[in-house]
């Protein structure tokens, strides 16, 4: 009589919560902000530029400004109408680049389609590019030189490190290649000696890439696009997606059954992005205070 196959044991992944780690980082930011005020009389200042009234962008900006205020960072909002031209936006961003009371500049993405977003980003002084969106910051990251990281990938690296995820030699798959998220994410993983594959909308046989991923970062912007069955058993799954209804790019329940570590949505990558933004703002203010 042949032996009965043993049914696969249901697994349950561990959560990689961003909320607790982000709170630690923000508490440290608040301490550093107060120390800077005591030492120099200068309070770190973050200017946020919002063009138009896209409801999601309004929510993100409000959230970031509230967190900044709680961390002792002065927060200024520059709100421009949806009809703002590229030249007007560039001029507004340049004025902030030249304002000594502003240490960090965040231009909320996306801007209306008629605006040349790259031109507007490049008007940010690299020393104030706390969101890591300029070509200078991107090149610094790519060459492993000091500079401000793109906040979401930077936050994801912190989360992976906090959970002691081994990266060297492991197969990392990043689904998405946007300039603010997917592309820098892969480069940061590469800099840590992971073997990186980028997948995107033209990728042929996405499933075979996903099945090989020891570390999977989903940055697509499609609700529950990646299913539990797509995930390699024991993989580390980072869901950077944030879709309407607080839904990520990964089927959370399915991932919890297959993976070893999973970020929740909300409470995973999102809080880490804001924490890194605030941390980089206080770093920029400290650097300016030294001059
Ligand atoms: P994006 O600019 O729209 O980029 C999406 C990427 O997904 C593109 O590279 C696209 O490929 C790829 N893609 C689309 N359909 C695909 C498919 N069928 N198969 C494989 N790849 C596909 O979006 P993003 O700004 O990077 O944002 C991605 C997600 O992250 C969104 O949900 C966003 O809300 C979220 N996000 C979260 C945070 C946070 O703090 N938590 C921050 C930023 C973004 P192509 O390049 O070929 O078009």
């Amino acid at each position: 009589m042949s032996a009965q196959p043993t049914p696969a044991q249901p697994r349950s992944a561990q959560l990689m919560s961003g909320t607790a780690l982000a709170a630690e980082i923000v508490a440290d930011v608040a301490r550093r902000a107060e120390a800077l005020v005591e030492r120099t009389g200068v309070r770190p200042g973050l200017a946020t530029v919002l063009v138009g009234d896209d409801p999601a962008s309004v929510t993100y900006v409000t959230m970031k400004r509230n967190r900044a205020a709680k961390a002792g960072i002065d927060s200024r909002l520059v709100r421009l109408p949806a009809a703002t031209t590229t030249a007007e936006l560039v001029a507004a961003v340049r004025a902030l680049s030249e304002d000594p009371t502003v240490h960090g500049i965040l231009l909320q993405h996306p801007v209306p389609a008629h605006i040349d977003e790259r031109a507007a980003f490049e008007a940010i002084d690299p020393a104030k590019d706390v969101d890591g969106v300029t070509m200078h910051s991107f090149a610094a990251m790519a060459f492993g030189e000091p500079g401000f990281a793109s906040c979401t990938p930077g936050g994801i690296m912190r989360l992976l490190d906090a959970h002691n995820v081994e990266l060297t030699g492991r197969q990392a798959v990043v689904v998405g290649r946007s300039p603010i998220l997917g592309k820098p994410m892969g480069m940061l993983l590469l800099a840590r000696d992971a073997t990186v594959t980028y997948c995107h909308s033209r990728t042929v046989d996405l499933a075979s890439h996903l099945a090989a991923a020891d570390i999977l970062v989903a940055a697509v912007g499609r609700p529950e696009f990646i299913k539990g069955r797509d995930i390699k058993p024991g993989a580390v799954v980072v869901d950077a997606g944030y879709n309407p209804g607080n839904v990520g790019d990964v089927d959370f329940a399915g991932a919890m059954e297959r993976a070893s570590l999973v970020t929740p949505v909300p409470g995973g990558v999102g809080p880490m992005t804001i924490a890194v933004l605030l941390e980089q703002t206080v770093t920029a203010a400290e650097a300016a205070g030294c001059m």
Side-chain angles (χ1 to χ4, degrees), residues 10-247:
R11 306 167 46 102
S12 188
Q14 209 191 316
L15 275 186
M16 269 193 291
S17 165
T19 310
L21 180 56
E24 277 175 34
I25 294 171
V26 174
D28 186 52
V29 168
R31 277 192 291 274
R32 286 168 61 187
E34 288 318 312
L36 186 71
V37 174
E38 272 178 35
R39 209 167 57 242
T40 65
V42 173
R43 184 166 289 285
L46 174 67
T48 305
V49 182
L50 176 61
V51 187
D53 48 16
D54 169 60
S57 292
V58 172
T59 305
Y60 293 143
V61 163
T62 307
M63 211 188 299
K64 289 169 186 172
R65 296 186 72 230
N66 287 343
R67 299 269 165 82
K70 281 191 188 145
I73 292 175
D74 265 343
S75 162
R76 182 192 307 180
L77 176 61
V78 177
R79 226 177 149 164
L80 299 169
T84 300
T85 63
T86 298
E88 287 166 341
L89 179 56
V90 165
V93 174
R94 272 207 192 117
L96 296 170
S97 288
E98 284 159 16
D99 183 336
T101 65
V102 171
H103 305 106
I105 300 171
L106 165 72
L107 170 57
Q108 183 62 37
H109 157 97
V111 294
H114 66 274
I115 291 177
D116 178 351
E117 183 176 79
R118 181 48 42 203
F121 279 152
E122 294 309 316
I124 299 174
D125 176 348
K128 300 185 180 186
D129 181 21
V130 293
D131 203 23
V133 295
T134 59
M135 290 199 272
H136 181 282
S137 298
F138 190 90
M141 176 208 56
F143 287 115
E145 295 291 333
F148 292 122
S150 185
C151 291
T152 305
I156 290 171
M157 293 305 288
R158 299 282 284 273
L159 208 44
L160 293 172
D161 284 341
H163 288 83
N164 300 313
V165 174
E166 179 63 48
L167 300 173
T168 302
R170 298 188 79 198
Q171 182 66 49
V173 173
V174 181
V175 190
R177 56 172 168 178
S178 72
I180 57 151
L181 181 41
K183 211 172 273 179
M185 184 73 248
M187 297 178 84
L188 291 176
L189 290 164
L190 179 67
R192 295 281 299 277
D193 299 322
T195 301
V196 179
T197 301
Y198 285 101
C199 297
H200 47 78
S201 66
R202 309 289 178 89
T203 296
V204 176
D205 195 8
L206 177 64
S208 69
H209 295 291
L210 298 179
D214 300 313
I215 295 142
L216 171 60
V217 181
V220 188
R222 292 187 174 208
E224 301 187 340
F225 177 70
I226 292 168
K227 310 292 180 205
R229 63 175 178 271
D230 298 327
I231 295 167
K232 179 177 176 177
V236 172
V237 176
V238 177
D239 188 352
Y242 193 63
N243 304 292
N246 280 345
V247 178

